[in-house]
Amino acid sequence: MVTPLAALNRVLTEDVHAPLDMPLWDNSAMDGFAVRSADCEPGAALEISGYIPAGGRPEPVVTKGCAVKIMTGGPVPPGCDAVVPFEETVEGEGTVTLQEPVKAGQHIRVRGEDVAAGDLVLSAGSVVRPFEISMLISSCRSQVAVCRRPRVAILSTGDELVEAGETLGPGQIVNSNGASLAAAVLACGAEPLMLGIARDNPESLREKLSAGLHADVLITSAGVSMGDRDFVRETLEELGVEQVFWKIDIKPGRPIAFGTRNGLAVFALPGNPVSSMITFEELVRPALLRMMGHRRVIRPYVAARLTHAVKKKSGRVQFLRVAVSRQADELIASSSGDQNTGILKTMLRANGIAVLPAEADALAAGSLVNVHLLDERALMEEEER
Ligand code: AMP
Ligand code: MG
């Protein structure tokens, strides 16, 4: 159980019923005068017999020929069946003159009109947005049951790696995958657990991987292809992780491996920063979202027209980093730059990943492609310009 605010972006595991009517009493939808509509021919002058602010107590019964000044949210006093906004009145010394015809019921929010006591207001499986939080709080909930956030252990592997902030020696590079994967885990609502760096030898890998076996998910980067120091898969196997697959026909990210051990899911991602980010996005993120109870786990596809030809090998799905923008009434997609997985800055220029089908071997300029939009805001800002 968590507080409604802590439930943001998480999935409810319980149905929520309203404990009370909403609103709980008839109240005014406008600042104005509560009146008895039967007394209100246009031009009628009514005596002002009371004042009800928001939070005010209900007044005694309003009698014929009287009106009560009332603010938005104030409880409508017994006897009254309409509210006349200030804009449609002229106020004098202790009286108010009505200028417009008055209909019974106007500008009154009726008890229970939003939700009646006992109504199902939120159902298990819903994703909590600020709107759902509003409904939870309005339903007097201080705690609500949501799906657990999986703990995701993240291990970078490689003899060449140093942590950010350390001085780089010859041949060394900073471990950027650790932080980028942790950020991606956080962004989808799960909880990263940093295991640091393992070296490219079975002893170091065994020690660091063991620390991740009690998490819900273990993600490793690098050491999973054909190199003679790629020991990740065999060490995982030694630790009891059963390999489900290794290598899939995608580019980038072909050497990815996946395995399980007593409910632990292990993703061994390739080391290239671009490959690890794209395989996370396309394969790990949907899995994490599903574990967190989300029903929609794949980003929606948009159709976009390629501005240029793309060459590819048939037999592999290719993930093309693209910049998507709007042109006239359609979306267009251009490569965000050199698609070599060593080129990190093409991730920065990309707001989408075009998923090119395995069977295609070349796509002509003007072809329609399916794109996972990574950042809808980028597209919106463009429209605003
Ligand atoms: P590997 O999969 O071990 O062959 O690594 C592929 C490439 O990714 C190599 O150039 C590595 O130096 C690089 N790499 C591996 N791990 C990381 C990491 N944690 N951060 C940044 N680059 C990495
Ligand atoms: Mg390596």
Side-chain angles (χ1 to χ4, degrees), residues 357-377:
E359 59 278 10
D361 60 356
L363 289 131
S367 313
L368 274 179
V369 290
N370 281 326
V371 180
H372 279 148
L373 269 192
L374 297 175
D375 187 356
E376 284 145 59
R377 282 167 302 180

Side-chain angles (χ1 to χ4, degrees), residues 157 159 199-201 205 223-232:
T157 73
D159 285 336
R199 300 306 169 190
D200 288 323
N201 63 71
L205 280 166
V224 76
S225 27
M226 301 294 277
D228 55 7
R229 297 180 140 238
D230 289 348
F231 295 118
V232 170

Side-chain angles (χ1 to χ4, degrees), residues 156-157 160-161 173-178 221-225 230 270-273:
S156 303
T157 73
E160 71 279 35
L161 303 178
I173 62 166
V174 282
N175 168 20
S176 62
N177 288 350
S221 75
V224 76
S225 27
D230 289 348
N272 267 307

Side-chain angles (χ1 to χ4, degrees), residues 67-133:
V68 168
K69 192 181 269 191
I70 192 165
M71 300 301 125
T72 304
V76 173
C80 291
D81 64 351
V83 168
V84 183
F86 284 138
E87 298 86 324
E88 295 171 13
T89 66
V90 175
E91 198 176 335
E93 284 282 306
T95 62
V96 58
T97 309
L98 310 180
Q99 299 182 302
E100 308 282 338
V102 175
K103 272 198 277 177
Q106 70 175 38
H107 303 305
I108 290 181
R109 303 189 286 216
V110 181
R111 173 175 185 157
E113 74 172 18
D114 186 356
V115 167
D119 276 1
L120 175 69
V121 286
L122 299 170
S123 33
S126 312
V127 180
V128 177
R129 301 166 301 167
F131 321 123
E132 281 72 24
I133 292 180

